[in-house]
């Protein structure tokens, strides 16, 4: 062991793990030592899975969701309702909605929410792609499914203000979702009820 700490390879592994979201210094150390004690085959499989995901996963050219082809599975499904788009912040939110079994339309992933404190404005989101879809596709309603927190509400109001002049109905998820929470942690029943009871944003 190096004086005052771990040897360079171990410290580098801990530092890299610590850069992952939600991983603090103690968690990074535990994961690092778990990997060091694990069989070499397990570590190689993990490394191969990461390499394969980075190599094969891309963004759907239509909705910006994660995909392995030009279109994601949802956009490529002819049974989905093209007139209905649910706008979400993150690909994980798509999974949350799909678990409810209630939504039969398409999605659009913004990859973030408006947050001036973090330097995130509309230009950093996939708004241009959304505007293009509303203009080119037979969209009649856009459901804003951003998180029920300050950033999500600001994003919802911005989306509504931009889309309203285009003649589409813009609705927001109904109550039932806790303010300040994240969609990925909502249970299927709560999220399904919120989806069914969505409301028009600009008429509130």
């Amino acid at each position: 062991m190096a004086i005052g700490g771990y040897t360079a390879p171990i410290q580098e592994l801990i530092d890299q793990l610590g850069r992952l979201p939600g991983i603090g210094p103690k968690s990074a150390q535990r994961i690092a030592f778990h990997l060091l004690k694990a069989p070499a085959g397990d570590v190689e499989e993990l490394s191969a899975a990461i390499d394969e995901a980075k190599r094969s996963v891309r963004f759907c050219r239509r909705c910006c969701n994660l995909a392995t082809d030009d279109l994601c599975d949802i956009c490529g499904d002819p049974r989905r309702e093209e007139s209905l788009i649910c706008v979400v912040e993150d690909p994980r939110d798509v999974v949350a909605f799909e678990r409810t079994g209630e939504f039969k339309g398409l999605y659009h992933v913004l990859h973030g929410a408006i947050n001036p404190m973090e330097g995130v404005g509309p230009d950093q989101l996939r708004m241009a792609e959304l505007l293009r879809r509303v203009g080119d596709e037979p969209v009649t309603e856009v459901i804003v499914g951003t998180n029920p927190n300050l950033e999500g509400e600001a994003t919802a109001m911005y989306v509504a203000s931009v889309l309203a002049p285009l003649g589409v109905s813009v609705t927001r998820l109904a109550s039932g979702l806790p303010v300040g929470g994240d969609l990925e942690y909502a249970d299927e029943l709560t999220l399904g009820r919120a989806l069914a009871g969505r409301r028009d944003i600009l008429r509130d």
Side-chain angles (χ1 to χ4, degrees):
M1 179 177 291
I3 297 176
Y6 300 112
T7 57
I10 298 175
Q11 188 62 54
E12 177 65 15
L13 177 59
I14 293 172
D15 291 344
Q16 291 301 321
L17 291 170
R19 295 174 61 185
L20 297 174
I23 303 297
K26 294 294 185 183
S27 295
Q29 290 181 40
R30 284 195 295 271
I31 296 171
F33 281 102
H34 171 79
L35 293 174
L36 291 171
K37 291 188 294 183
D42 291 353
V43 177
E44 290 170 1
E45 288 180 3
L46 173 62
S47 177
I50 294 172
D51 288 341
E52 176 62 19
K54 288 295 292 182
R55 183 188 65 80
S56 61
V57 175
R58 66 192 77 176
F59 294 128
C60 172
R61 65 171 172 80
R62 188 181 192 185
C63 73
C64 305
N65 190 17
L66 298 178
T68 53
D69 291 310
D70 197 33
L71 291 176
C72 68
D73 292 341
I74 296 171
C75 284
D77 186 348
R79 298 169 296 180
R80 307 295 292 216
E81 297 179 23
E82 293 188 330
S83 63
L84 190 58
I85 292 179
C86 183
V87 177
V88 297
E89 297 179 21
D90 189 90
R92 291 171 296 182
D93 300 331
V94 173
V95 176
F97 275 109
E98 286 297 286
R99 284 202 306 261
T100 71
E102 297 286 336
F103 186 65
K104 306 304 181 185
L106 300 174
Y107 296 93
H108 189 83
V109 184
L110 294 175
H111 290 277
I114 294 174
N115 187 345
M117 297 295 292
E118 298 291 334
V120 180
D123 291 342
Q124 281 72 54
L125 306 179
R126 299 299 182 98
M127 282 299 302
E129 292 88 342
L130 176 60
L131 288 169
R132 185 166 57 248
R133 290 184 67 187
V134 172
D136 295 345
E137 299 178 18
V139 180
T140 59
E141 181 184 356
V142 173
I143 305 169
V144 183
T146 51
N147 286 315
N149 52 29
L150 290 176
E151 294 80 11
E153 291 298 328
T155 304
M157 291 304 299
Y158 178 80
V159 170
S161 66
V162 170
L163 294 184
L166 301 182
V168 296
S169 173
V170 183
T171 58
R172 184 79 166 110
L173 293 181
S175 59
L177 293 173
V179 175
D182 288 336
L183 288 173
E184 64 176 300
Y185 301 119
D187 63 87
E188 289 87 344
L189 180 58
T190 298
L191 194 54
R193 287 176 175 172
L195 184 61
R198 61 188 181 273
R199 54 184 170 80
D200 192 303
I201 295 176
L202 295 182
R203 292 182 183 176
D204 289 346

